Amino acid sequence: MSEEVGFTSMAGPKAAGEAPEIGIGMLGYAFMGKAHTNAFKKLPYMMYPPVAIPKLVGICGRSEEGVKEAAKRYGYENAYTDWRAMLGNDAVQVFDNGGPNDAHAEPCIAAAAAGKHVFCEKPLARTAEEAKGMLDAVVKAGVKHMVAFNYRFVPAIVQARKFIESGALGKIYHWRAVYLQEWGMDPKMPTSWRFQKAIAGSGALGDLGAHIIDLARFLVGEPKKVMGMTQNWIGARPAGDGSGKMVPSDVDDGFVALVEFEGGALGTLEASRFCQGRKNFNSFEINGEKGSIHFNLERLNELEVFWAGDEPKEARGFHNVLISEGYHPYWGNWWPHGHMIGWEHSFVHEFHHFFSAIVKNGDVAPYGATFEDGYRNAVICDAIVESAAKGKAVDINY
Ligand code: SOE
């Protein structure tokens, strides 16, 4: 694999003091605001010497009380309730959008027009059309852009990519991926934006399916055709505001899809919020002419691999590889082998990659996901929805 910007290169300034500051404007202070800010604070001393030192210029959210508390908790200089005001702060060089899906397009387009580099949570948008408008805006503005498909930065998945790029797996025949969670099954659970099409765009498909669609593109290649089915099992959920009202839940609770890839590989995709016992079960298997690889996010420092190598044929079979050696991707920054890292560290790697691209004027692609990847992901999601509605396969055209 070539030494891509931020991907494996740890070449930063000789001493941390030489690293430039990079001003951050963070939209959102809930789950992703927390995960991203944790990465901003950890990056300078763990991706050492840092390629840049994030400066927590501002955080923005709808609740004045909530966002002021978040600014105090994390150390942001300013708390905003209007993202436009935050974009007006010249100290903001990177706009990081961790808001709900309906709050992705307008702020990101405005940030690009203001000359800010733009980082946006997945899915990039609610539809391919909305994603295309965002892609056009960042390209026109000439700013760096990245979508938070953070699983591209889990060391075991990076290692899988290296195996494939090196030809160690040979021709790929199968991609088999699921992303299963259990939290959507209680009909008494109050609604959230993730169950409302006008805000989210889709349900498990855009929230979880987007990740395994991105990994399919990252590890196998471009889908040529999809055939999908979607299902909604709870049509309305309590408003949760004491009114006793029910709010329509008009998104997919689960989907399955078949995929034919350019180059002939076949794939399956499945995502659901109705899989009891599955907490964050993002898992895939790749079968190639020279071997197979299996990954499970709930055991994210491991790969199950099969290579018909030089072991006695009676001993041949899948074996577990602990991805924790200094020679494994990103591990040179962390701990001695066997001292595990976690989900949060993928965000540290992801932002190291993005800031490297900014500071060194390098490319986010192909190892980071750009807005082009976010747009193509949205095209595939829309095609799965179209296929489910029409009951037939749909070709993928970007
Ligand atoms: C909820 O389904 C969620 O937080 C997703 O939105 C994230 O992208 C995924 O990484 C974990 O689960």
Side-chain angles (χ1 to χ4, degrees), residues 111-384:
K116 317 291 186 182
H117 301 297
V118 188
F119 186 93
C120 187
E121 261 302 330
K122 43 52 62 181
L124 180 61
R126 293 169 289 182
T127 65
E129 182 183 9
E130 190 174 57
K132 184 67 167 62
M134 298 170 75
L135 172 58
D136 292 346
V138 293
V139 169
K140 180 180 176 188
V143 296
K144 302 292 183 186
H145 46 94
M146 189 167 178
V147 183
F149 285 116
N150 60 300
Y151 297 122
R152 291 186 179 212
F153 292 90
V154 170
I157 293 180
V158 177
Q159 187 58 57
R161 165 90 184 213
K162 282 171 170 272
F163 284 141
I164 293 165
E165 281 191 335
S166 70
L169 268 184
K171 177 178 173 61
I172 306 298
Y173 296 117
H174 285 282
W175 166 260
R176 194 170 304 107
V178 300
Y179 201 158
L180 311 177
Q181 295 177 345
E182 64 179 6
W183 59 274
M185 300 179 69
D186 182 357
K188 297 188 295 299
M189 182 180 80
T191 190
S192 79
W193 64 266
R194 294 178 191 273
F195 294 115
Q196 298 168 46
K197 183 178 172 65
I199 302 173
S202 64
L205 174 60
D207 185 28
L208 301 173
H211 278 298
I212 50 178
I213 288 167
D214 181 68
L215 289 175
R217 295 188 59 247
F218 184 60
L219 295 168
V220 177
E222 293 296 354
K224 179 181 177 183
K225 180 185 301 188
V226 293
M227 187 181 289
M229 288 181 152
T230 62
Q231 187 60 280
N232 172 287
W233 289 293
I234 297 178
R237 295 176 183 264
D241 57 6
S243 66
K245 287 181 184 165
M246 297 297 280
V247 176
S249 174
D250 52 352
V251 295
D252 58 286
D253 291 316
F255 91 97
V256 294
L258 304 176
V259 185
E260 178 186 350
F261 290 88
E262 301 289 353
L266 284 179
T268 59
L269 298 163
E270 183 179 355
S272 176
R273 296 157 171 168
F274 280 61
C275 298
Q276 282 194 73
R278 295 304 187 187
K279 308 304 178 183
N280 199 23
F281 189 71
N282 175 349
S283 182
F284 62 79
E285 181 165 309
I286 300 170
N287 306 122
E289 69 179 308
K290 298 179 183 175
S292 295
I293 294 176
H294 183 269
F295 171 81
N296 167 8
L297 181 64
E298 293 177 356
R299 302 174 71 91
L300 85 165
N301 291 290
E302 302 171 25
L303 280 180
E304 289 288 323
V305 301
F306 175 90
W307 263 282
D310 52 9
E311 67 277 8
K313 67 176 181 297
E314 297 80 359
R316 282 185 192 158
F318 272 92
H319 61 273
N320 183 284
V321 178
L322 203 51
I323 305 293
S324 74
E325 302 293 345
Y327 51 72
H328 283 134
Y330 292 104
W331 264 86
N333 294 284
W334 298 102
W335 319 113
H337 53 196
H339 295 67
M340 298 297 103
I341 63 173
W343 176 80
E344 69 179 273
H345 300 85
S346 67
F347 290 88
V348 180
H349 304 158
E350 185 174 52
F351 282 110
H352 170 81
H353 185 81
F354 190 47
F355 297 154
S356 299
I358 292 169
V359 169
K360 301 175 186 175
N361 192 24
D363 295 326
V364 170
Y367 301 110
T370 66
F371 276 29
E372 174 70 34
D373 294 298
Y375 162 66
R376 293 187 176 203
N377 196 288
V379 168
I380 297 162
C381 286
D382 284 5
I384 288 170

